[in-house]
Amino acid sequence: MFPAENIRDWRTLNVVDPDGSKIGTLESVYVDTTTDQPFFAAVITGFIGRRQLTFVPLTGATVSPDHITVTVSKDVTKNAPSIDTDGELTVEQEPDVFAHYSLPYTGGVRRLARR
């Protein structure tokens, strides 16, 4: 994993899939509250007037000076849970984000915090 203290520097970087296809632009990072490590990227996707924040896992991601490469394909992210660009991920929505990517989720506590 990469240092959590640098995540603010990642804002506005392009997020690309393993093939180099652009998924969107990084808006913020959600950290796992149990480890304080980056866990999901909130990526601006869509078209002007219909933009949204789509959640993309950061497990196995690599950061370079001009982009972040994630391990999931752009096609997988197209149907991923999303929120309005001025919205906030609720505790009720968290399980859906984890389930979309077949990631384990323990209910009952808030797992993600925006940074």
Side-chain angles (χ1 to χ4, degrees):
M1 197 45 79
F2 20 77
E5 64 268 9
N6 298 330
I7 59 177
R8 287 202 171 101
D9 296 338
W10 304 347
R11 287 192 66 169
T12 72
L13 289 180
N14 288 332
V15 177
V16 300
D17 75 1
D19 295 326
S21 295
K22 183 179 175 182
I23 296 169
T25 305
L26 182 72
E27 194 278 331
S28 58
V29 171
Y30 281 74
V31 298
D32 184 326
T33 58
T34 60
T35 64
D36 203 35
Q37 292 296 310
F39 206 78
F40 281 102
V43 180
I44 300 170
T45 59
F47 302 100
I48 295 175
R50 300 187 71 201
R51 296 205 183 267
Q52 59 193 8
L53 293 178
T54 301
F55 293 90
V56 179
L58 289 171
T59 304
T62 56
V63 180
S64 66
D66 62 348
H67 66 276
I68 299 170
T69 304
V70 295
T71 60
V72 296
S73 72
K74 183 176 182 175
D75 286 340
V76 171
T77 66
K78 285 183 181 178
N79 295 317
S82 61
I83 58 174
D84 291 334
T85 55
D86 61 351
E88 209 38 67
L89 181 69
T90 66
V91 70
E92 293 82 19
Q93 293 168 311
E94 279 188 6
D96 295 335
V97 175
F98 282 78
H100 180 77
Y101 295 104
S102 301
L103 296 170
Y105 182 78
T106 305
V109 302
R110 183 75 184 204
R111 282 287 310 274
L112 299 174
R114 190 178 197 166
R115 293 275 164 89

